[in-house]
């Protein structure tokens, strides 16, 4: 019997938060679940994020493996580079999320990331950040030059070191391949959520709602209520437990 991806259920929510415009974009459909955050301070951020997720839409329903996911992210980079700009600052965006597929005979999550939006996995009621932030502050923390507790308040916390577009000629996305366990809950979110809510609060909100749409709604509402100064987007996807065979 060939391996299959478990049944998935998902939900998504977004809000402009403390901004007049929402430069976040998302895609949540069948086996592709991603968010993108137009980089602040760059022209046409909302166009850049929309272009990135639109480039990944052809993957939906194809259960693509890591090679196709990587190629799609590179194509998204080129699509963002093609977005016109009226200034010298080129449009840019982050991109992160998960794609469900069967890889080497095993149902897997392919986690992708460029920038400082994040993807988390909650397995066994424990929340873990899967992605690594591509930011100046994350590099300072990793190098032992900045205490982790100081990172949320550092003036460089929003300076990304890797993005789609933004003037870079090439991009190297991070890809992580992990076996899917029935009961997994995955979260892809923009930094409007993680800058506002600590991981412990994110974990609590994910645990408080069985339905993934309710969980996404709770996360975004909690961030907005806590005074989010940026756009807030969350996509929650569950791998459903196997049905019991009687």
């Amino acid at each position: 019997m060939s391996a299959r991806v478990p049944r998935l259920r998902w939900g998504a929510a977004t809000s402009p938060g403390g901004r007049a415009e929402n430069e976040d974009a998302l895609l949540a459909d069948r086996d592709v679940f991603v968010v993108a955050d137009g980089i602040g301070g760059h022209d046409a951020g909302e166009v850049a994020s929309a272009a990135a997720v639109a480039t990944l839409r052809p993957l939906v329903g194809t259960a693509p493996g890591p090679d196709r996911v990587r190629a799609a992210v590179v194509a998204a980079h080129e699509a963002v580079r093609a977005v016109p700009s009226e200034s010298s600052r080129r449009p840019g965006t982050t991109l992160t999320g998960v794609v469900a597929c069967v890889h080497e005979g095993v149902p897997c999550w392919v986690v992708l990331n460029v920038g400082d939006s994040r993807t988390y996995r909650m397995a066994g009621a424990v929340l873990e950040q899967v992605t690594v932030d591509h930011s100046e502050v994350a590099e300072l923390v990793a190098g032992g030059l900045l205490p982790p507790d100081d990172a949320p308040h550092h003036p460089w916390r929003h300076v990304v070191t890797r993005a789609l577009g933004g003037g870079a000629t090439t991009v190297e996305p991070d890809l992580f391949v992990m076996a899917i366990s029935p009961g997994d809950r995955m979260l892809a979110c923009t930094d409007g959520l993680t800058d506002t809510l600590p991981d412990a609060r994110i974990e609590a909100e994910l645990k408080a709602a069985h339905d993934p749409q309710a969980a996404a709604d709770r996360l975004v509402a909690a961030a907005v209520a806590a005074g989010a100064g940026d756009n807030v987007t969350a996509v929650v996807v569950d791998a459903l437990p196997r049905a019991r065979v009687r």
Side-chain angles (χ1 to χ4, degrees):
M1 183 177 178
S2 61
R4 294 185 301 173
V5 172
R7 270 197 318 129
L8 304 178
R9 185 169 55 188
W10 60 89
T14 189
S15 169
R19 299 287 181 88
E21 304 287 340
N22 193 342
E23 296 188 341
D24 288 357
L26 66 89
L27 171 60
D29 192 356
R30 285 178 278 182
D31 47 12
V32 180
F33 309 93
V34 296
V35 299
D37 178 4
I39 295 173
H42 288 60
D43 286 353
E46 73 283 358
V47 180
S49 60
V53 300
T55 305
L56 268 65
R57 183 167 288 281
L59 299 180
V60 172
T62 68
D67 289 345
R68 284 194 62 202
V69 172
R70 182 182 296 276
V73 176
V74 172
H77 176 64
E78 293 303 323
V80 175
R81 277 171 48 82
V83 173
S85 173
E86 296 181 356
S87 78
S88 60
R89 295 185 300 182
R90 301 299 304 163
T93 184
T94 70
L95 181 69
T96 196
V98 296
V99 176
C101 70
V102 175
H103 177 60
E104 297 181 349
V106 178
C108 288
W109 301 115
V110 180
V111 179
L112 61 101
N113 187 59
V114 179
D116 63 351
S117 294
R118 293 180 180 176
T119 297
Y120 292 83
R121 181 186 196 181
M122 192 163 72
V126 176
L127 185 69
E128 176 186 11
Q129 182 180 336
V130 178
T131 54
V132 177
D133 294 351
H134 299 146
S135 69
E136 292 279 5
V137 164
E139 292 184 1
L140 290 173
V141 171
L145 301 176
L146 181 70
D149 290 346
D150 291 347
H153 314 292
H154 196 281
W156 295 352
R157 65 188 181 277
H158 296 302
V159 179
V160 297
T161 56
R162 212 181 301 183
L164 302 185
T169 56
T170 62
V171 67
E172 183 55 40
D174 286 347
L175 260 65
F176 309 90
V177 181
M178 305 180 299
I180 297 175
S181 295
D184 280 352
R185 170 164 280 188
M186 306 297 291
L187 166 66
C189 58
T190 57
D191 66 351
L193 180 72
T194 55
D195 281 352
T196 309
L197 301 181
D199 283 3
R201 177 66 185 278
I202 293 172
E203 181 178 292
E205 296 296 342
L206 288 171
K207 290 178 178 177
H210 176 72
D211 178 72
Q213 182 60 59
D217 289 338
R218 287 182 66 101
L219 285 167
V220 172
V224 172
D230 199 356
N231 308 149
V232 185
T233 299
V235 173
V236 178
V237 54
D238 292 347
L240 301 184
R242 297 185 181 92
R244 292 183 179 179
V245 178
R246 297 184 177 180

